[in-house]
Amino acid sequence: MPYRGAGPAVNDLVAGQIDLMVDASADVLPHLRAGRMKAYAVMTRSRLAAAPDIPTVDEAGLPGLYLTIWDGLWVPKGTPKIVISRLNAAAVDAMADPAVRARLADLGLQYLPREEQTPEALGALQGAEIEKWWPIIKAAGIRAE
């Protein structure tokens, strides 16, 4: 059953309305910690620091079933490179702040090493994700709504 976001799906799972969900957000961590739901695996190559007792999909017998959430800052085409450079530097500096890193860790979120926080690396990641998911989307007949 499709949902309009993780929140309604989490609510239905906790209430027993559905039996299983696949979620790529950190919204479930408080429910896992409180024992209201059980995690079978994380869909990453390595265990999460915020939930080290949950096995990876590789360890759970579903090798390669990776699904990650990633974020990026986007600007309009034609934005001067100096502006992009300044925005990127400010974002990288913010990500280096110990309070920001602690909060992200609390949420179960991971972040890339500083040297991978570049516009070029984001472009490469986006390209790899398109290459990975586009054939699956096309084969499933999924259309934007």
Side-chain angles (χ1 to χ4, degrees):
M1 166 185 284
Y3 282 86
R4 291 182 179 254
V10 167
N11 289 341
D12 280 358
L13 184 68
V14 170
Q17 301 298 315
I18 59 173
D19 297 317
L20 178 73
M21 72 179 278
V22 175
D23 184 49
S25 72
D27 297 341
V28 299
L29 284 177
H31 297 287
L32 292 170
R33 291 176 180 143
R36 291 187 290 269
M37 62 174 62
K38 175 182 169 60
Y40 290 100
V42 294
M43 299 177 79
T44 55
R45 287 181 168 80
S46 59
R47 291 186 180 210
L48 297 179
D53 54 322
I54 302 172
T56 67
V57 285
D58 293 339
E59 295 168 327
L62 297 166
L65 183 61
Y66 308 126
L67 177 65
T68 56
I69 297 284
W70 52 272
D71 298 294
L73 296 176
W74 304 94
V75 295
K77 186 176 182 176
T79 300
K81 290 199 182 282
I82 189 69
V83 173
I84 293 170
S85 180
R86 287 179 183 159
L87 286 170
N88 188 71
V92 169
D93 287 346
M95 291 295 295
D97 182 278
V100 171
R101 288 183 178 249
R103 180 65 177 134
L104 292 175
D106 283 348
L107 294 171
L109 301 174
Q110 298 175 313
Y111 44 86
L112 295 172
R114 188 177 189 104
E115 62 274 5
E116 293 180 41
Q117 296 176 25
T118 66
E120 296 78 19
L122 177 59
L125 175 63
Q126 180 185 19
E129 288 288 285
I130 290 169
E131 188 175 314
K132 174 182 177 179
W133 293 107
W134 187 248
I136 296 167
I137 291 167
K138 192 173 180 182
I142 297 171
R143 299 189 199 307
E145 293 182 8

